[in-house]
Amino acid sequence: MNKRILATTVLFLSTFAWGLQQQGSQPPVPPSVPEKVGDEMCLVCHDTYTSVKRTPHASVECEACHGAGSLHVEAGGGMDLSFKNKDFSWVKDQCQDCHRQAPHLSNFSRSAHARAMVSCTSCHQAHPEQARAGMLTQAQKDLCASCHQASVAQFRKPFHHPVMEGAMTCSSCHTPHSEGQRRVAFGTEIECASCHTDKKGPFVFEHASLEVNGCEICHQPHGSVNPKMLTRSQVRLVCLRCHSASAGTAGSQPFAFHDLRSPRFRECTVCHRAIHGSNVSSSFLR
Amino acid sequence: MRSHVMRSTAPLTLLVLALCCSVPAWGQDKQYRFTLDFGHRWVFNQGGNQDLYRSQLDYGDGPKLFGADFFMAFPEGSNRWADRIELRMNNWGGEPYNTAQAVISKNGVYELRFNYLNAQYFNSIPNFANPFFEEGNFQSQHRSDISQRIFNLEFTLWPGRSLSPYFAYNRSIRQGPIRTTLRNDGDEFLIGEDAQSSSDAIRGGIRWKREKFSLMLEQGVRWYDDKSSFFASGFQEGNSTRPVLGEDLFLDGYSGQNDFEGTIPFSSGIITWEPLRQLAVRAKVSYSLADMDPAFSDLASGNFFQFPGLAIFYNQGGRQDLGQVKRPSLNGDFSAEWQPADWLLIQERFNIRRLDVSGSLATNLSFAGITSLLGPVEDPFNLSELADTFLANDLESQEIVATVFITPRFSIRGGHRFESKSLILEDPSSGTARTEFGWDRNSLILGGAFQFNSANRLSVDFELGRTDQPPIFRTDSVDFQRLRILGKLSPRPSLIISGNASLFDNRNDQPDIDYEFDSHGYGLQVLWAPFDRFSWTAEYERTELNSDLLVVIPQNLSRVPSTYVERGDYGSAYLSLGLYRNVQLDLGYSFWDTVGAFPQQFHRPMARLEVPLNQKLATYVQWNSYDYQERTTLFPQQYQAQMLVAGFRLTLGNGF
């Protein structure tokens, strides 16, 4: 592990050094203060961007995002007002001028996407060529897949949530603009509850590990090679992770004397069928 | 279902063909787009275990509406009622998942969103919950064929404006037949369940934003209702055929009924405030109080054994349960972000989660046809029990992270997280006295990101967590290292290379646990599109999971290591090639190859040929093959299926 960490760190720093070398000089500071010219002037040249008028940005002036354009017009064009190739912080600040106060976007700076310098325009198009939900640059599953290939591979496992089939999207469960990256269904209930309503209780007899550690303690939510998307190939291997005698840990008492060599006792959920919690049986028998 | 879908899609298809011949004269200012993807699927060469096939894929043959997409947009203000109308339908016609979405909005006035999902969930896995698998019986004792339908409706008034109220309704219905098990005093029997549960939630709130301040308040309530019934008829020996003290146990009749009702009111509030340009604070608080009134009753007849406790055989047993359970739950998240200079960002976050569950249950057990082993027992005999349970779970975490922007495109960060977790369990009725568990953990947070340009970047996240306290659960992450690297590089416009690596190691050295867990994953993806109508994508992912943990063998109380190994390789390659006259050929192949505890292979080749007939209509033929093979030594299961789809894709309109 340590050698791997060292190797990846060296690789990381080397790439940084190379990247720094590749980085060109910053654009020169304009000699004078530009003034606004209005949308009509912008559309004289940029007539392909009339599509913005059919988006939620319809009422936003071009120069509200791109900045005043008089110098750009005088110079006959140029990339100085374009969002392309602008750094993460610049793009984020421009978009957050308006979107900062949207409650679901207000935590973006603490999100994993912000930490990784994924700027707004990496995923969204302010004036899209094709109408898409959320003004995304691609269909959501393709967009997320372009960085999160490991998740795509998980969704291709034999037992998986139907994201690639189109029944769900990544944002059904995840919040890309927020710390924690988990959507909340109802108040304090996590998103799993919006579909799996029968698993969330509350129950008279709660399965404590589910309440404390969440569904992922037993299941792999993207996909698994194991039945029921379990973290282990057989039920008893999942259960024994907690339910074996160890001093001072939850779940190790009372001790069960099942003969695990018998197939009857290897499939714990044959008897303990209400394993997500029960209103009748303290050992989840029904 | 299939005939219903045919009935509903046939007129739609005719309508679309008619539209294809005579497109209405739309003004230059209005735009619309309509696409329809429909065809017929043939499934052939099906082999292997069909339960497994249905549990994983469940694609059927017949006419299908694969997708319908309607979009209409009006320039702002030109239509009194709407600026945008979007309707989408996917996978109708007996498919395992049907979806429909609609969005209707008028800029700054309202937005209405509707989502519908119908998931036909079939699950019957031969080796799951099947104590007879090793005898060659492939019938899982847990089988479900249920329909889960979910509706979501959300209406927002004055979206984007300073004050915006909203209202939402969510309904989820779960129903269908289930085969499950009844454990009844020393034996298990197969029973049927008719699942009938529903959840309805309404919520409403306001979003209010000013230049440096915003507030969101939400109030809602969810109702849960479960009226599932259970049944069995006829003679069953059960999973154990071994006589108990000379008597055979059997079930010859069973009926049961759930009657759960619950109400879960919930409230949320979010406040953001920027008192200074360099300082932003945010607070979010959510609270819910779930209140469930469970009731259950059942009656079983046969011959059963009750031990320990009464030490009786009996022919008829029943129970009635009445209970109540409450779960108050509070989540709070407070964060502050301070940027004293362009190159420095300091973020502080405090998070709490408190959850209590207190339950009580009154049970009446009845027994008749009694044969007692330890002395005379009244026949029939009734027994009343009371149970009170309590669970409390608290989690607090505090995190401070400093990010240094060495350049606007290059940042490094470091920080510290403190977490405190506790669990209290109390179940006096089952002999569990009040027990308390807890640990405090400190974690080091390191990371960095480099943005080559707007599309390419490299990011690294590393966490190192330690505690000297025992875990709450044996496999808790009390001593862990986590590393994740994601990178994307495009050295030229036609070439995109993406890579990822993730490592998660967790240790617990407590002598009676000795847990070691390593999960590693590596992946590389290459997309190459050197010409306008040629692209090639290849991806490879490798995952490795190793777990060692001491478990106790109950029969001799010895401790032995339980080892679990799972190594998987995923690969895919797709070629997209433009042929003569815009004919498009796609070829692809993907596989999962897993070795370890549950070795298996899953191969999925595909080919697709799409021929444009004119600018509006294209026809296509697609072939998919699925080949799933388990490589276990004992009764490996497999299935194969080939599918051919012939369809049309119609695109009308002048929309962007």
Side-chain angles (χ1 to χ4, degrees):
Chain A
M1 173 64 197
N2 290 335
K3 284 180 184 170
R4 283 196 182 112
I5 291 171
L6 184 65
T8 47
T9 308
V10 169
L11 178 68
F12 180 55
L13 293 174
S14 312
T15 317
F16 276 166
W18 175 81
L20 285 169
Q21 246 186 347
Q22 298 294 312
Q23 209 175 341
S25 58
Q26 295 296 315
V29 179
S32 58
V33 178
E35 294 175 358
K36 286 192 174 182
V37 295
D39 284 3
E40 285 183 7
M41 177 62 82
C42 301
L43 293 173
V44 168
C45 296
H46 301 283
D47 54 344
T48 54
Y49 293 125
T50 53
S51 63
V52 75
K53 295 299 174 193
R54 293 172 187 87
T55 73
H57 283 158
S59 57
V60 180
E61 293 176 349
C62 306
E63 290 162 300
C65 300
H66 291 278
S70 62
L71 296 176
H72 175 79
V73 172
E74 285 167 18
M79 293 296 286
D80 53 313
L81 297 186
S82 169
F83 275 48
K84 286 175 184 160
N85 288 325
K86 288 289 193 299
D87 62 68
F88 161 77
S89 300
W90 189 90
V91 173
K92 185 192 74 160
D93 290 346
Q94 289 296 102
C95 299
Q96 285 206 332
D97 269 354
C98 293
H99 294 288
R100 188 193 310 272
Q101 302 302 355
H104 66 292
L105 303 177
S106 60
N107 218 17
F108 179 67
S109 294
R110 278 137 278 177
S111 71
H113 281 149
R115 288 198 300 267
M117 288 186 151
V118 179
S119 61
C120 311
T121 49
S122 298
C123 303
H124 299 279
Q125 278 181 309
H127 19 69
E129 294 162 7
Q130 188 178 353
R132 283 197 188 89
M135 300 172 72
L136 298 176
T137 55
Q138 303 177 61
Q140 196 188 99
K141 72 177 178 186
D142 299 327
L143 177 64
C144 300
S146 67
C147 292
H148 299 277
Q149 300 99 359
S151 300
V152 174
Q154 289 165 348
F155 285 121
R156 295 287 187 194
K157 287 181 174 179
F159 302 96
H160 57 269
H161 267 119
V163 171
M164 306 313 283
E165 287 82 351
M168 304 171 68
T169 61
C170 304
S171 62
S172 298
C173 303
H174 296 281
T175 53
H177 306 110
S178 179
E179 174 68 43
Q181 310 275 315
R182 293 286 297 273
R183 192 171 285 283
V184 173
F186 308 107
T188 58
E189 295 184 289
I190 58 165
E191 181 56 26
C192 308
S194 67
C195 292
H196 303 280
T197 52
D198 56 317
K199 308 288 192 297
K200 281 306 295 173
F203 300 104
V204 174
F205 303 100
E206 292 278 1
H207 198 163
S209 61
L210 177 59
E211 286 293 358
V212 176
N213 289 324
C215 310
E216 297 98 315
I217 192 69
C218 298
H219 298 280
Q220 293 177 308
H222 287 168
S224 169
V225 295
N226 302 319
K228 301 273 184 184
M229 296 199 280
L230 289 173
T231 54
R232 299 289 184 272
S233 58
Q234 294 177 43
V235 179
R236 74 176 194 279
L237 299 177
V238 179
C239 303
L240 284 170
R241 295 174 65 211
C242 293
H243 297 286
S244 190
S246 298
T249 59
S252 60
Q253 310 89 11
F255 189 75
F257 283 89
H258 297 326
D259 183 356
L260 297 178
R261 293 166 298 188
S262 164
R264 262 182 82 202
F265 297 108
R266 284 183 201 163
E267 304 285 352
C268 311
T269 49
V270 168
C271 294
H272 305 278
R273 74 163 200 238
I275 201 62
H276 298 103
S278 172
N279 286 311
V280 179
S281 166
S282 61
S283 43
F284 313 122
L285 297 174
R286 63 181 80 185
Chain B
M1 167 62 87
R2 189 165 296 159
S3 61
H4 168 73
V5 170
M6 282 185 69
R7 277 201 304 275
S8 52
T9 56
L12 188 63
T13 309
L14 290 173
L15 175 67
V16 168
L17 290 173
L19 281 171
C20 188
C21 298
S22 71
V23 177
W26 288 83
Q28 290 293 316
D29 52 344
K30 297 172 186 171
Q31 300 212 354
Y32 82 105
R33 189 185 68 232
F34 179 62
T35 60
L36 188 68
D37 186 345
F38 61 98
H40 194 287
R41 180 192 289 131
W42 292 269
V43 182
F44 55 101
N45 286 347
Q46 265 185 288
N49 190 302
Q50 289 308 293
D51 276 356
L52 197 54
Y53 167 75
R54 291 196 62 200
S55 299
Q56 292 187 11
L57 296 176
D58 208 14
Y59 293 126
D61 53 12
K64 310 285 177 188
L65 175 64
F66 296 110
D69 187 347
F70 176 73
F71 169 76
M72 185 185 289
F74 307 90
E76 191 185 15
S78 71
N79 186 288
R80 188 174 173 184
W81 304 107
D83 293 330
R84 297 165 62 83
I85 300 172
E86 294 176 53
L87 303 169
R88 285 191 191 87
M89 294 172 68
N90 284 301
N91 302 320
W92 288 76
E95 293 287 87
Y97 306 102
N98 326 133
T99 61
Q101 294 105 34
V103 181
I104 304 170
S105 65
K106 186 163 175 62
N107 243 347
V109 180
Y110 75 91
E111 183 180 83
L112 179 70
R113 289 182 173 272
F114 170 76
N115 282 295
Y116 169 77
L117 165 66
N118 178 14
Q120 297 292 330
Y121 179 67
F122 178 88
N123 195 288
S124 181
I125 301 164
N127 62 8
F128 182 82
N130 180 5
F132 301 118
F133 182 73
E134 293 181 10
E135 297 170 18
N137 180 333
F138 304 139
Q139 296 296 310
S140 168
Q141 297 195 347
H142 284 194
R143 174 193 176 101
S144 52
D145 193 1
I146 59 173
S147 163
Q148 176 106 32
R149 281 176 291 153
I150 296 169
F151 308 82
N152 288 306
L153 185 71
E154 183 163 342
F155 178 77
T156 306
L157 197 60
W158 310 316
R161 297 199 179 177
S162 62
L163 183 67
S164 173
Y166 65 94
F167 171 82
Y169 171 67
N170 169 283
R171 178 166 174 75
S172 172
I173 304 167
R174 179 177 173 270
Q175 56 188 18
I178 290 175
R179 180 169 68 200
T180 183
T181 42
L182 172 71
R183 188 255 185 197
N184 202 323
D185 304 339
D187 207 348
E188 306 90 53
F189 306 97
L190 283 179
I191 59 170
E193 177 183 348
D194 181 15
Q196 292 282 349
S197 66
S198 64
S199 166
D200 294 85
I202 57 169
R203 59 189 172 88
I206 55 158
R207 300 181 183 106
W208 180 43
K209 60 179 184 180
R210 309 291 294 169
E211 193 180 349
K212 295 185 178 303
F213 173 82
S214 78
L215 172 70
M216 192 199 83
L217 293 174
E218 180 179 287
Q219 176 67 51
V221 62
R222 180 164 84 89
W223 294 277
Y224 178 71
D225 188 29
D226 186 342
K227 296 280 190 293
S228 301
S229 57
F230 306 87
F231 53 87
S233 58
F235 177 83
Q236 284 188 52
E237 279 192 311
N239 288 342
S240 171
T241 55
R242 185 180 299 172
V244 175
L245 300 175
E247 289 214 30
D248 290 325
L249 303 183
F250 62 89
L251 175 85
D252 60 16
Y254 181 73
S255 64
Q257 180 75 44
N258 276 343
D259 190 3
F260 300 171
E261 287 183 0
T263 307
I264 308 167
F266 55 87
S267 310
S268 290
I270 302 177
I271 294 177
T272 65
W273 183 38
E274 284 183 64
L276 302 169
R277 180 174 163 70
Q278 300 88 354
L279 180 66
V281 294
R282 179 184 187 271
K284 179 181 178 184
V285 177
S286 303
Y287 176 78
S288 70
L289 175 60
D291 187 346
M292 187 82 76
D293 295 315
F296 175 80
S297 62
D298 73 354
L299 185 66
S301 61
N303 192 34
F304 313 109
F305 182 53
Q306 221 270 1
F307 184 86
L310 296 175
I312 57 172
F313 286 97
Y314 61 97
N315 297 129
Q316 194 171 71
R319 65 182 297 156
Q320 294 85 42
D321 297 273
L322 276 176
Q324 188 176 46
V325 54
K326 287 181 186 290
R327 181 177 61 194
S329 172
L330 175 73
N331 287 359
D333 186 87
F334 312 94
S335 57
E337 190 178 313
W338 181 41
Q339 187 151 20
D342 285 347
W343 57 272
L344 180 63
L345 175 68
I346 297 171
Q347 294 170 320
E348 164 79 17
R349 184 170 182 234
F350 180 61
N351 184 266
I352 58 166
R353 177 178 185 264
R354 301 205 189 290
L355 178 145
D356 294 346
V357 186
S358 58
S360 60
L361 184 73
T363 303
N364 181 62
L365 301 169
S366 59
F367 306 92
I370 293 173
T371 306
S372 175
L373 301 178
L374 300 177
V377 173
E378 185 185 348
D379 187 10
F381 179 78
N382 282 289
L383 181 66
S384 294
E385 293 176 348
L386 292 172
D388 291 300
T389 61
F390 180 69
L391 177 152
N393 175 223
D394 284 0
L395 172 67
E396 290 178 8
S397 73
Q398 190 167 13
E399 179 181 298
I400 183 163
V401 175
T403 304
V404 176
F405 291 89
I406 294 173
T407 75
R409 293 178 186 271
F410 174 29
S411 70
I412 57 172
R413 66 181 175 279
H416 172 262
R417 184 190 302 128
F418 170 78
E419 292 163 284
S420 177
K421 201 172 194 177
S422 72
L423 172 68
I424 299 172
L425 290 173
E426 206 172 317
D427 183 7
S429 55
S430 66
T432 308
R434 182 186 174 95
T435 45
E436 294 187 23
F437 311 89
W439 48 250
D440 298 336
R441 184 175 68 193
N442 289 287
S443 299
L444 172 71
I445 301 168
L446 296 172
F450 184 73
Q451 189 188 28
F452 299 104
N453 53 45
S454 60
N456 301 313
R457 70 192 72 83
L458 179 70
S459 69
V460 177
D461 282 288
F462 175 73
E463 286 185 31
L464 176 72
R466 291 280 185 273
T467 179
D468 54 2
Q469 293 164 317
I472 296 176
F473 298 100
R474 285 165 24 103
T475 53
D476 278 356
S477 304
V478 290
D479 185 357
F480 74 94
Q481 299 177 81
R482 180 185 287 122
L483 175 69
R484 189 165 87 149
I485 303 175
L486 281 177
K488 193 176 192 180
L489 184 65
S490 179
R492 61 185 70 168
S494 61
L495 181 64
I496 300 174
I497 302 167
S498 311
N500 67 81
S502 63
L503 313 173
F504 177 66
D505 296 348
N506 185 21
R507 298 279 179 278
N508 187 342
D509 297 331
Q510 190 170 312
D512 55 359
I513 298 175
D514 199 16
Y515 180 50
E516 288 189 21
F517 177 86
D518 301 320
S519 172
H520 301 169
Y522 316 92
L524 187 69
Q525 185 188 54
V526 178
L527 169 63
W528 184 46
F531 317 113
D532 194 24
R533 296 172 60 205
F534 174 90
S535 69
W536 178 78
T537 311
E539 181 182 351
Y540 173 73
E541 294 281 336
R542 180 169 178 81
T543 58
E544 297 178 8
L545 191 154
N546 297 288
S547 168
D548 280 300
L549 174 70
L550 285 182
V551 299
V552 171
I553 299 296
Q555 279 62 46
N556 57 20
L557 297 181
S558 63
R559 289 185 192 279
V560 297
S562 168
T563 299
Y564 181 79
V565 176
E566 183 185 304
R567 295 205 173 91
D569 294 284
Y570 170 76
S572 70
Y574 291 91
L575 174 72
S576 185
L577 189 61
L579 303 175
Y580 179 66
R581 289 196 170 186
N582 290 329
V583 172
Q584 184 81 23
L585 176 67
D586 296 312
L587 299 170
Y589 172 72
S590 74
F591 71 92
W592 254 110
D593 189 332
T594 309
V595 297
F598 192 31
Q600 57 190 233
Q601 289 183 335
F602 195 20
H603 298 272
R604 281 184 287 201
M606 63 81 69
R608 179 185 168 102
L609 185 70
E610 183 167 317
V611 181
L613 300 176
N614 58 40
Q615 286 192 329
K616 299 169 186 166
L617 189 65
T619 184
Y620 63 86
V621 180
Q622 181 168 329
W623 167 79
N624 287 81
S625 175
Y626 299 87
D627 184 359
Y628 173 81
Q629 305 270 350
E630 292 172 5
R631 304 285 169 142
T632 51
T633 52
L634 194 67
F635 299 114
Q637 299 297 292
Q638 43 83 29
Y639 70 79
Q640 303 83 34
Q642 311 256 336
M643 291 169 202
L644 190 68
V645 172
F648 293 91
R649 201 178 68 250
L650 179 69
T651 305
L652 298 175
N654 57 353
F656 63 86

